[in-house]
Every structure is written in C-alpha cells, then in structure tokens.
C-alpha cells in the first residue's frame, strides 16, 4: 500500500455511514497517515455508528450536516473553522436517490425523485465547495466519488446516472474556477459497482455485479486517494481515475499517468 505522511494536515470527509462505506475506508487510511479527521455525518440516524468508528482514531472531530439544507452546510463549516481554522483535503462521498426511482424505466422517474437525486448527489458538492474553499488557505485537494454511469447506460440507475454526470461536469467547471488558488479538483470512480451499504439487498448486488463485471471493494479506492493527497501529485487537477484499474504494486505516479483521463474527455 502506498503510504504518505499527513501529520499536521486536516481532511474533511463527507459520507461515512458505517464500516462498509467507501468514505470509512478512506478515512482509516488518512488517519493512519497522521491526518486530523473531520467526519461530517448526516443526522442522528447515523451518528451512533459513525461515533463508534471514529473512536478507533487518534485525532477526529464529528460535525452534523444535512447537505440538502444550505443553512446546515454553512453552519457545519463554521463549526469546522472554529475547530481547526483551515483544512487541506475535502472528500465528497455521498449520493442518494429514492429507491422507488431506481429500477424500471427512467421515463417513470418522478420529478421530485429526480430533483432529490441531483440535489444530494451533485448540488451538495457545489454548496460544500463554496463553503470549504475559503478554509483552504494554503491550497488543498478536493476529491469526489463518481460512477461509470456518468458515461455509460446502466439500466435501472436512472436519475443517479444524470446526477453523476452533473457531478463530473461541475468538477470540470471548478477546475477552471479554482485556477491559481492552489486547490485541485479530481474525480475517483470505483471502476465498477462499489461493494458498500448502497446496495441494501442481495438482488441489488447481483444485478450491479453482473452489469459491470464484478463488485469493487472499498479498499481499492484508498491508494489513488492517498496519491492525490500526497505532495507527489503536485498540482494534478481535472483528472478522473478508475480505482479498479489501479495496480498497487506499481509506482503511484506511473499508475496515475496510465489510468488517468482529463475530465470531459472519453
């Protein structure tokens, strides 16, 4: 595993729900590297499990935030600013769609469900980036999780495909918006269906696995994340990496060049 020294660095992580979350796999590795972890959780429903997970870490702080409410996002970053002053890394690993709008025909997706998927899965990062970048006083790294459905059709994924496409397009725009600020923006895609709590029943896992040729375990996301956060990545920005193709036995820099693709290009 590629290792880095993140002592004196602060990472804000959105998306920890339980031990199977991609965000938790990332959090553990960054904490092991010495990072101060700010874990942002949705509400009281997940507070207990997240609190239990964070008890394993030496340096962590919890912040509640319902990203569907602008005032909550603003309050969360006021809390973060009061706690640590500045931040170095932001990881966005949240997405949501109403279960009734997944499966079946896309044309049957409800207006409310479509807007909810876009709001939570894509617009949330617009709001988060707006509030986070003023705290990246020494530059920083923004990384968001996407999915292959942003580029390819996966029957039944429906509005989530549109949301992921919107997320990737927004990330491309931020690369331009944040030029000369020292803040980089990159996308990490599992390269398949992530084997996380997002698939709640065995049938969902089987369908996803068959569609993309196998499930991708959360730990596969860790090595690319570590490289992107490291000084070795330099000012790398505007790139998309498929984690399933990342070979941990090879040089991280070489792997990034091999599998990385500029945003907006196929």
């Amino acid at each position: 595993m590629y290792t880095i020294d993140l002592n004196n660095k602060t990472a804000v992580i959105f998306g920890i729900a339980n031990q199977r979350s991609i965000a938790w796999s990332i959090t553990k590795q960054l904490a092991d590297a010495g990072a101060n972890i700010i874990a942002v959780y949705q509400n009281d429903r997940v507070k207990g499990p997240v609190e239990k997970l964070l008890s394993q870490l030496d340096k962590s702080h919890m912040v509640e935030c319902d990203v569907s409410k602008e005032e909550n996002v603003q309050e969360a970053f006021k809390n973060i600013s009061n706690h640590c002053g500045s931040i170095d890394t932001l990881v966005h690993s949240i997405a949501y769609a109403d279960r009734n709008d997944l499966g079946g025909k896309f044309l049957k997706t409800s207006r409310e469900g479509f807007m909810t998927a876009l709001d939570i899965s894509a617009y949330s990062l617009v709001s988060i980036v707006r509030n986070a970048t003023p705290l990246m006083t020494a530059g920083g790294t923004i990384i968001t999780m996407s999915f292959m459905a942003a580029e390819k059709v996966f029957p039944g994924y429906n509005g989530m495909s549109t949301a992921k496409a919107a997320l990737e397009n927004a990330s491309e725009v931020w690369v331009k918006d944040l030029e000369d600020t020292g803040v980089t923006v990159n996308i990490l895609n599992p390269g398949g269906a992530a084997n996380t709590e997002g698939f709640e029943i065995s049938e969902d896992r089987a369908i996803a696995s068959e569609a993309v040729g196998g499930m991708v375990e959360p730990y596969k996301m860790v090595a690319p994340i570590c490289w992107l956060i490291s000084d070795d990545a330099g000012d790398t920005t505007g790139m998309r990496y498929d984690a399933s193709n990342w070979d941990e036995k090879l040089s991280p820099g070489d792997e990034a060049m091999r599998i990385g693709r500029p945003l907006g290009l196929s």
Side-chain angles (χ1 to χ4, degrees):
M1 176 66 69
Y2 179 63
T3 58
I4 54 175
D5 182 0
L6 294 179
N7 281 292
N8 301 317
K9 299 289 187 180
T10 298
V12 177
I13 315 289
F14 281 79
I16 303 174
N18 58 43
Q19 63 183 1
R20 294 189 62 80
S21 301
I22 289 174
W24 173 239
S25 291
I26 294 168
T27 296
K28 285 192 298 180
Q29 188 65 29
L30 300 188
D32 287 346
N36 174 37
I37 299 296
I38 308 292
V40 185
Y41 65 97
Q42 181 185 9
N43 53 30
D44 285 341
R45 180 179 62 84
V46 296
K47 181 179 180 179
V50 174
E51 197 168 37
K52 184 176 180 180
L53 290 171
L54 292 181
S55 68
Q56 304 173 33
L57 309 182
D58 291 332
K59 297 179 291 183
S60 65
H61 179 67
M62 293 178 63
V63 175
E64 182 176 348
C65 180
D66 179 347
V67 297
S68 69
K69 300 176 180 178
E70 185 64 29
E71 64 273 17
N72 275 200
V73 179
Q74 294 173 357
E75 187 62 31
F77 278 96
K78 286 181 182 178
N79 185 322
I80 292 169
S81 179
N82 290 336
H83 177 73
C84 58
S86 64
I87 64 176
D88 303 283
T89 297
L90 171 68
V91 177
H92 176 272
S93 184
I94 53 179
Y96 176 80
D98 190 308
R99 189 172 183 78
N100 293 326
D101 291 318
L102 297 175
K105 300 292 186 180
F106 184 27
L107 58 84
K108 294 185 178 180
T109 301
S110 68
R111 181 182 297 272
E112 181 181 1
F114 184 80
M115 297 305 295
T116 295
L118 280 174
D119 184 30
I120 303 301
S121 308
Y123 185 80
S124 64
L125 189 53
V126 179
S127 177
I128 289 167
V129 168
R130 180 167 56 245
N131 286 276
T133 49
L135 301 186
M136 292 182 163
T137 53
T141 303
I142 297 170
I143 303 171
T144 188
M145 303 296 129
S146 188
F147 181 56
M148 296 166 69
E151 299 180 310
K152 301 177 182 179
V153 174
F154 287 87
Y157 207 57
N158 297 346
M160 280 302 301
S161 297
T162 307
K164 289 301 185 183
L167 181 67
E168 295 204 8
N169 181 264
S171 297
E172 186 177 359
V173 175
W174 289 322
V175 172
K176 190 69 176 176
D177 280 354
L178 297 172
E179 277 184 337
D180 303 322
T181 66
V183 177
T184 61
V185 183
N186 293 285
I187 288 175
L188 188 58
N189 165 39
N195 190 17
T196 71
E197 77 286 346
F199 295 99
E200 297 178 355
I201 58 176
S202 59
E203 288 82 359
D204 290 335
R205 293 180 183 276
I207 292 170
S209 180
E210 182 178 357
V212 300
M215 305 296 284
V216 179
E217 295 297 331
Y219 78 87
K220 287 289 291 183
M221 311 290 281
V222 172
I225 285 275
C226 285
W227 181 79
L228 283 168
I229 292 174
S230 75
D231 292 339
D232 294 341
D235 59 358
T236 298
T237 191
M239 299 295 289
R240 187 180 195 270
Y241 301 94
D242 292 346
S244 64
N245 294 325
W246 188 283
D247 190 340
E248 297 176 32
K249 298 177 183 177
L250 303 179
S251 160
D254 290 343
E255 277 301 273
M257 291 185 64
R258 183 178 70 86
I259 70 172
R261 291 186 290 125
L263 295 181
L265 299 178
S266 60

